[in-house]
Amino acid sequence: MSTPHPDFQVYTLLVTPLVEVRDVVCAGTCRHKGEIERAGRTHLVFPYRGTYVRHVGHDDAVADASQVLFFNAGEDYQVSHPNAGGDASLSMALDPTLLRELAPPALLADGEPLRFGQTRLRIDPRAQVLVALLRHSLREGIAEPLEGESLALTLVHRALAPRTTHAAGSSQGRQRLVDRAKLVLARDLARRWTLAEVAAEVGVSAVYLTQSFRQVEGVPLYRYQLRLRLARALDLLRDYDDLAALGVELGFSSHSHFTAAFQKMYGRTPSEFRQIALHR
């Protein structure tokens, strides 16, 4: 079911007493901060296509496929879209009692309603695969409610488990610098950026950018770009019969390069993943 809106579409994929899963696709027409919004209940939001910036007070978080964002109940926020092309996210709301059982106490704020104490966490490649599997299987009508719930809970557990996450760290200045670099890379996933080009775009030295990015994100710049490309591949696999063309579109030098990178990251080739996600 789709809910119409001037700027975005909300597709309800699953509603049970414990879990609600929605696919939110935004046109991204608002370059500057939009109207103030407020979540009625706490949501875990997994961006899987494009980028946007979520503004909460003085905290600005670039939303991309490498992380989960926490939209806390009763918390005001605004959204802007520095990059053209729109974005899409998988939004999930869980029964609060269930979410408290899944979430490590250190991640939660004190009191009621249930809220997270930070705005985002980095997720690992396995969590990215679970996002794609959950979305594809629900959109295609392959997964029954029980399976959908199980996949959703597995994803939440994976995303919140301390061993699989990396919280954004370091100073606010370095965080803002890294966020600018992330927006530069996301602007054109297929472009073969050089370090000097990215550093020039954000106005710092290549050495400082390299050190800052690794400190804040926990991965080097090139690795982050690769993860963005492969996450986009997870999103687009259902739409491409020619996987070689998909690899070229995402900036890989050849089909074999694309396949090898995908398999190394996710443990399956692109064709194997498509078979599992769409033809079970």
Side-chain angles (χ1 to χ4, degrees):
M1 180 179 66
S2 171
T3 302
H5 187 278
D7 294 320
F8 59 86
Q9 294 284 326
V10 179
Y11 300 91
T12 299
L13 303 184
L14 178 68
V15 177
T16 75
L18 295 179
V19 180
E20 296 181 9
V21 180
R22 291 178 172 84
D23 193 6
V24 183
V25 181
C26 182
T29 56
C30 182
R31 291 288 179 268
H32 304 290
K33 291 181 182 179
E35 296 181 0
I36 295 176
E37 302 177 65
R38 178 178 294 180
R41 58 188 298 194
T42 295
H43 288 73
L44 281 71
V45 175
F46 297 88
Y48 64 84
R49 180 192 310 157
T51 54
Y52 59 92
V53 180
R54 200 267 300 263
H55 311 270
V56 180
H58 296 294
D59 182 84
D60 297 340
V62 174
D64 60 42
S66 69
Q67 60 196 309
V68 55
L69 280 79
F70 304 118
F71 284 65
N72 287 320
E75 185 175 70
D76 291 341
Y77 67 91
Q78 294 170 279
V79 173
S80 62
H81 302 84
N83 290 339
D87 57 80
S89 300
L90 198 69
S91 178
M92 191 182 308
L94 274 67
D95 171 81
T97 301
L98 180 63
L99 186 52
R100 281 195 185 278
E101 186 176 345
L102 286 169
L107 293 181
L108 300 178
D110 295 333
E112 295 288 345
L114 184 148
R115 297 184 183 189
F116 287 87
Q118 55 201 80
T119 59
R120 54 183 166 172
L121 279 178
R122 178 155 304 283
I123 61 173
D124 69 355
R126 188 173 298 180
Q128 290 179 325
V129 167
L130 287 168
V131 171
L133 280 174
L134 179 61
R135 187 175 67 86
H136 286 315
S137 59
L138 291 176
R139 285 293 298 264
E140 297 296 322
I142 297 171
E144 295 183 6
L146 180 60
E147 183 180 359
E149 288 180 307
S150 297
L151 281 173
L153 297 188
T154 301
L155 169 59
V156 172
H157 180 266
R158 183 77 193 180
L160 300 183
R163 68 181 183 280
T164 67
T165 60
H166 174 81
S170 192
S171 68
Q172 288 188 352
R174 287 203 173 195
Q175 180 66 66
R176 287 194 292 268
L177 165 65
V178 167
D179 282 347
R180 292 201 304 272
K182 290 165 72 174
L183 289 172
V184 168
L185 292 174
R187 200 165 63 209
D188 185 355
L189 286 181
R191 177 169 171 174
R192 297 185 180 182
W193 292 94
T194 66
L195 183 58
E197 289 172 337
V198 180
E201 287 275 347
V202 298
V204 298
S205 73
V207 171
Y208 187 72
L209 175 61
T210 300
Q211 293 174 342
S212 297
F213 203 95
R214 183 183 283 275
Q215 180 183 19
V216 173
E217 291 298 313
V219 294
L221 199 65
Y222 77 89
R223 192 72 174 173
Y224 170 82
Q225 183 191 39
L226 176 63
R227 288 186 177 182
L228 280 191
R229 286 176 171 173
L230 292 174
R232 182 67 170 139
L234 287 173
D235 172 32
L236 291 174
L237 277 174
R238 65 189 295 272
D239 301 323
Y240 277 77
D241 293 326
D242 185 351
L243 296 181
L246 173 59
V248 170
E249 180 178 313
L250 293 174
F252 292 94
S253 59
S254 65
H255 179 52
S256 60
H257 179 207
F258 170 48
T259 299
F262 192 100
Q263 185 169 24
K264 184 176 181 180
M265 185 71 71
Y266 301 130
R268 300 182 179 92
T269 66
S271 58
E272 288 171 344
F273 176 83
R274 186 167 60 180
Q275 182 70 24
I276 292 170
L278 303 180
H279 303 292
R280 287 177 295 141

